[in-house]
Each structure stands twice: as structure tokens, then as C-alpha cells.
Amino acid sequence: MVLMFFGKLIPYFILSSVLVVFVFMVLYPIFGIHIEGSLLSVFFFVEIFVLASFSLGMMLSSIFKKDVMALDFAFFYNSPAFIFSGFTFPIYGMPFFDQIYAYLIPYTHFLDGFFKLSQMGLPFSASLPEVRGLLIFVLVGFVGTIIPLYIRTRKALRGISMEGGMQS
């Protein structure tokens, strides 16, 4: 199960890393976007966000049998991310349950840390609370992927052994 998780994660992670480098090295200069802090810190932080996003996506695809259901749930879960991230309206001014929802979305943690590193020029240590939050999403996604895969594999193996036993 663990090898399946990383076997699926690694190619997508490499591809996204190439895209992140492209954005920082090509698109940012073209559009005149300047990073105040360390580019390496920002890159590393973005990669943690990518891991969190991929882990949660893999979890959804392992929980739901149909890809359409996983996509629908992901859309429902992520569509209000920009509104609840604190970018357009401060989180502390939101109603209590909206604040809770805001912190249940990885984008909220990403945006806080990204602004600290890229716009404020703070050291990477200033984004450690956000890194911890994103790593929790990575862990939840990992565990949430492994458990359904384990259950499905056990059921499939049980079905194969029962079919083999009936034929003898």
C-alpha cells in the first residue's frame, strides 16, 4: 500500500516541481512579480503545499469508487477556498464555524505562509506553523489513502480465496 502511494505520488510530484520552477523562473519575471524572501524557501514551501494537495486528492480517489464522486467532493471541498483563506476577508472576522472551515482547507495555511515568505521576506522559520498545518494534511491524506486501499485489497483477496475454495 505504501509503495502504491509513493509510486503514484512521485511522478506527479516531479511534474509539478517542474511547473513550479517554470512559474518562478519564467512567469514571475515576465509579469514583473518580485519575491522578497528566499526563492528556495518559497519553492520548498510550495512543494509542501503540493504534497498536501496530492495527498488529499489521492485520499479522495481511494475513498470513492467512482472518479466522478471524488471529483465532485473535491470541488465541493475546495471551491470556497479563496473566500475562506483570509485573503478577501480576515479569518478572525468570520463566524466561528467559518473559521473552523477555513483551517480545514490547506489553501488557508498555504496562503499565510506564502505571503510571509514571498512578500514579507521573512525567514522560513516564520512559516513553521503553516508548514505544520500542511504536513498534517499530508499525513491525513497518506493515512486516508492507505486505509481504504488496505480494506479494498483485503476484500479482493478474500473474494479470490473464496472463489478458489469453491472451485476445488
Side-chain angles (χ1 to χ4, degrees), residues 76-149:
F76 175 77
Y77 173 67
N78 282 315
S79 59
F82 190 72
I83 295 167
F84 285 94
S85 68
F87 185 72
T88 56
F89 189 80
I91 293 174
Y92 63 82
M94 294 179 187
F96 177 72
F97 289 110
D98 291 348
Q99 291 179 24
I100 291 172
Y101 186 73
Y103 287 108
L104 293 176
I105 301 173
Y107 187 66
T108 302
H109 304 276
F110 168 72
L111 201 59
D112 287 345
F114 186 76
F115 278 137
K116 287 179 182 178
L117 297 173
S118 69
Q119 301 302 307
M120 296 179 191
L122 297 176
F124 190 77
S125 59
S127 67
L128 288 180
E130 290 80 13
V131 168
R132 270 185 245 122
L134 291 173
L135 289 176
I136 289 170
F137 284 105
V138 171
L139 182 65
V140 167
F142 176 75
V143 172
T145 301
I146 298 301
I147 291 172
L149 287 178

Side-chain angles (χ1 to χ4, degrees), residues 13-68:
F13 185 73
I14 291 170
L15 178 63
S16 72
S17 298
V18 170
L19 291 174
V20 169
V21 168
F22 175 76
V23 166
F24 287 145
M25 297 303 195
V26 177
L27 295 182
Y28 268 42
I30 286 174
F31 291 107
I33 301 170
H34 181 71
I35 293 179
E36 294 295 324
S38 162
L39 183 60
L40 188 61
S41 293
V42 175
F43 174 78
F44 185 66
F45 187 76
V46 169
E47 291 298 307
I48 295 170
F49 174 64
V50 167
L51 277 176
S53 299
F54 282 167
S55 296
L56 292 176
M58 288 172 54
M59 178 182 75
L60 290 177
S61 69
S62 68
I63 290 172
F64 293 103
K65 289 182 180 181
K66 295 186 178 202
D67 292 340
V68 174

Side-chain angles (χ1 to χ4, degrees), residues 1-11 58 62 142 145-146 148-150 152-153:
M1 271 20 94
V2 175
L3 290 176
M4 286 172 53
F5 179 85
F6 286 109
K8 194 166 192 173
L9 179 78
I10 289 171
M58 288 172 54
S62 68
F142 176 75
T145 301
I146 298 301
L149 287 178
Y150 177 77
R152 269 201 204 131
T153 305

